[in-house]
Amino acid sequence: MALAVDTECKDTDKIAVAQAFSKAAKTYDQHAAFQRQVGHLLLDKLPHDLSGLKVLDLGCGTGYFTQLLALRGAQVTAFDLSDAMLAVCQSRCANLPVTYSKGDAENLPFEAHSFDLIFSSLALQWCHQLDALMTSLVQVLKSQGKLVYSTLLQGSLIELHSAWQQVDRQYQHVNQFHQIDSLKSAASQSGARQCQLENLQITLNYSSAIELMKDLKGIGATHVSGRSQGLTKPKTLLQVDQAYQVHKNSKGELPATYQVCLGELTK
């Protein structure tokens, strides 16, 4: 994702992202198998007992991991851009030590030294200015605090991008994601004393490209800056599905490849 984004464009994109996720709040969980797989990889990096720790779940969505963090004993602040997602999260986490805050990760409303731990799974790809973002996240950590995050890297959904290119080259139809070098640079300038980054490739298999796009719509990951909405007609989607067939594997399945970064920063 390009780092040089004018403020008006960035604000417009964030509003559209929030609206897309709000629309998907009720369907998210049934389409979020990949998101849960990645989140559990991140959760496995944490101690089982988080008793007494103040934890920020940045981009909490419907609260699946908010709940798990709270059940480990953490005092969790669930933070998200979408009102509807926070409402589902609040319903899921009733009677748990969770507070709720709406906002943009690139404009955090928290004071410095507020959290022992920040957990953020597959949210940072929606942010533009990585250097400022990482610095602000480290600032709200307490001394010795830790940020653990996952985010998508450039090269994710390469098959879908290729299929769309066969149908329409004029518009962008798959989001561009951060480069690993940009994440390394942001981490090195963040003020963290330790940083570890791990790259993973995760491939899901689908029966059709339309099934994949239904999953993306179901979780709300539909906003692509500059895309023409007129090109999502059923006829066009069938053309994309046909173009996707060149990626079919020996089992007759269509792969969707994700490039994932798991990051750990310690203050």
Side-chain angles (χ1 to χ4, degrees):
M1 184 179 290
L3 297 185
V5 182
D6 65 78
T7 302
E8 182 178 355
C9 177
K10 184 175 79 168
D11 290 345
T12 300
D13 275 355
K14 287 295 179 69
I15 292 170
V17 168
Q19 290 173 340
F21 279 109
S22 288
K23 288 180 181 179
K26 293 181 180 180
T27 60
Y28 184 94
D29 286 335
Q30 68 193 70
H31 293 277
F34 168 71
Q35 285 70 25
R36 290 189 178 182
Q37 179 182 355
V38 173
H40 274 288
L41 291 174
L42 202 59
L43 197 65
D44 287 345
K45 295 181 177 295
L46 301 179
H48 183 73
D49 186 1
L50 299 175
S51 296
L53 297 186
K54 292 185 177 180
V55 177
L56 174 62
D57 186 358
L58 189 75
C60 65
T62 61
Y64 177 84
F65 289 103
T66 310
Q67 181 183 42
L68 295 181
L69 290 165
L71 289 173
R72 291 191 180 192
Q75 301 173 39
V76 186
T77 297
F79 184 83
D80 204 272
L81 195 62
S82 162
D83 280 319
M85 287 289 190
L86 282 171
V88 177
C89 179
Q90 189 165 5
S91 177
R92 168 177 264 138
C93 297
N95 303 317
L96 289 173
V98 179
T99 57
Y100 305 89
S101 178
K102 179 190 173 184
D104 182 351
E106 294 185 88
N107 188 22
L108 293 174
F110 308 112
E111 295 182 358
H113 316 296
S114 293
F115 299 101
D116 300 288
L117 171 68
I118 299 173
F119 177 95
S120 182
S121 189
L122 297 179
L124 301 191
Q125 63 259 22
W126 301 105
C127 298
H128 302 286
Q129 304 291 344
L130 277 181
D131 289 351
L133 172 67
M134 290 294 181
T135 297
S136 68
L137 292 177
V138 171
Q139 285 176 345
V140 301
L141 285 173
K142 297 179 182 180
S143 179
Q144 311 298 318
K146 180 174 287 190
L147 161 66
V148 295
Y149 72 87
S150 64
T151 189
L152 297 182
L153 297 173
Q154 189 62 17
S156 294
L157 296 173
I158 189 66
E159 301 91 353
L160 184 59
H161 174 73
S162 174
W164 267 111
Q165 286 286 292
Q166 300 304 310
V167 175
D168 172 58
R169 292 179 178 270
Q170 183 176 358
Y171 295 99
Q172 182 76 25
H173 295 277
V174 177
N175 276 302
Q176 297 182 36
F177 300 104
H178 295 301
Q179 302 280 357
I180 187 64
D181 287 345
S182 298
L183 288 165
K184 290 178 179 177
S185 176
S188 68
Q189 299 177 57
S190 67
R193 61 181 176 83
Q194 292 182 354
C195 173
Q196 293 181 330
L197 299 180
E198 179 183 357
N199 293 16
L200 300 174
Q201 178 174 296
I202 298 175
T203 301
L204 306 184
N205 291 306
Y206 288 88
S207 61
S208 69
I210 291 176
E211 183 187 8
L212 164 61
M213 288 186 281
K214 283 182 178 178
D215 265 0
L216 295 174
K217 182 178 181 180
I219 64 166
T222 54
H223 175 68
V224 180
S225 182
R227 178 170 60 184
S228 170
Q229 297 301 316
L231 287 167
T232 57
K233 296 177 180 178
K235 181 180 178 181
T236 305
L237 297 180
L238 287 173
Q239 291 175 331
V240 174
D241 188 61
Q242 185 175 5
Y244 208 112
Q245 299 300 314
V246 299
H247 301 288
K248 185 177 293 185
N249 63 26
S250 60
K251 296 181 179 179
E253 300 166 325
L254 299 176
T257 303
Y258 290 92
Q259 306 296 336
V260 180
C261 176
L262 301 182
E264 296 183 66
L265 275 68
T266 304
K267 187 170 183 177

